[in-house]
Amino acid sequence: GFPLNLSPVVDGRSLPIQPFDPVAPEISATVPMLIGTTRTETTFLLGSDPSNFALDDATMRQKLQQFVGVAGADLDKLIAVYRKDNPSASPSDLFFLITTDRMTRMRAITQAERKAVQGKAPAYMYLFAWETPVLGGKLKSPHGIENDFVFGRAGASPATASGPGRKTLADQVSGAWTAFAHTGDPNHMSLPHWQPYSESERATMVLDVRSRLEKDPGRGERLAQAGLAHPRT
């Protein structure tokens, strides 16, 4: 689920240009792409600091300035959008949602957009939203949680050993990845029809207890993030 960094080291030989920046690479133009993130990547990526799970509003703002690089009125507007869309979220919940989108999901969206604009092969976007119940549920949908499901091994790690719908979801996810590996298309009988990503519809497969295709999930949050300076690398 962690998308390609948009600013790798260009050495002029092995990596002659920035992949997907400013456009999708021509070398893989005809190769379909399956891309996405978990809903809260940073509960794992930033979760080694236990204080991030017990933030108050003031500390949340300080942490967001540190990790997101946004302050003042821009930060006020960003937090307001996420609060509106997630009214029951705690300051820590908001911290993880905002940092996930800023540090990972917006990058995945950029890649899918540029692949779609290239028009030579489809991009399929997913958002893995199933939440693990371990540790009182505080990790929600952490980075890497989808791997057990991709390989049809829900229960292979403590994070996927319990929780609603995990066996059905494992069949759906492993089936999609297998179909994509075989044909370049993740569609199969256990999932709703999965449309390729486009800038007009932004079709995204939300993988959860009840998986469903959504058009531009989190639209307000995406637009709020897109209105800011480019995410930090």
Side-chain angles (χ1 to χ4, degrees):
F2 198 78
L4 183 67
N5 193 311
L6 291 182
S7 297
V9 176
V10 174
D11 63 6
R13 184 183 61 182
S14 299
L15 192 63
I17 60 172
Q18 298 277 10
F20 286 94
D21 189 12
V23 296
E26 188 61 32
I27 193 172
S28 59
T30 61
V31 179
M33 182 169 71
L34 179 61
I35 189 168
T37 69
T38 67
R39 184 70 183 98
T40 56
E41 295 268 351
T42 54
T43 55
F44 176 83
L45 299 174
L46 301 178
S48 59
D49 181 351
S51 70
N52 288 335
F53 293 97
L55 301 176
D56 58 22
D57 281 349
T59 310
M60 173 190 68
R61 291 181 60 86
Q62 293 172 5
K63 294 268 189 174
L64 287 174
Q65 290 179 44
Q66 175 185 356
F67 288 104
V68 179
V70 178
D74 284 341
L75 182 57
D76 291 341
K77 292 176 184 177
L78 189 63
I79 293 172
V81 169
Y82 278 80
R83 277 206 167 110
K84 179 176 182 289
D85 290 352
N86 304 276
S88 63
S90 68
S92 287
D93 292 337
L94 293 172
F95 169 75
F96 289 122
L97 288 169
I98 292 170
T99 53
T100 290
D101 286 353
R102 189 71 171 157
M103 297 168 68
T104 68
R105 184 153 178 76
M106 288 300 292
R107 300 178 190 278
I109 288 172
T110 296
Q111 288 179 249
E113 288 173 344
R114 291 175 181 176
K115 183 72 172 178
V117 167
Q118 192 176 36
K120 296 183 179 180
Y124 295 93
M125 172 71 79
Y126 70 88
L127 177 62
F128 195 90
W130 185 87
E131 297 185 359
T132 175
V134 301
L135 300 178
K138 72 177 185 178
L139 295 178
K140 299 188 182 297
S141 307
H143 173 66
I145 189 69
E146 73 268 49
N147 289 338
D148 284 352
F149 295 89
V150 168
F151 294 104
R153 301 178 65 230
S157 67
T160 60
S162 61
R166 61 193 180 88
K167 292 184 179 179
T168 297
L169 183 59
D171 290 340
Q172 292 178 331
V173 174
S174 62
W177 263 248
T178 300
F180 183 79
H182 276 287
T183 68
D185 184 332
N187 280 289
H188 67 103
M189 292 296 292
S190 296
L191 270 178
H193 181 67
W194 194 337
Q195 296 173 224
Y197 196 83
S198 68
E199 285 191 290
S200 61
E201 295 196 337
R202 300 183 183 275
T204 301
M205 185 61 70
V206 179
L207 297 165
D208 203 345
V209 173
R210 184 182 65 83
S211 296
R212 68 270 183 197
L213 190 77
E214 292 189 12
K215 304 292 180 67
D216 202 3
R219 179 178 182 274
E221 297 165 5
R222 176 182 63 79
L223 291 174
Q225 294 274 6
L228 302 172
H230 197 279
R232 300 172 70 180
T233 57

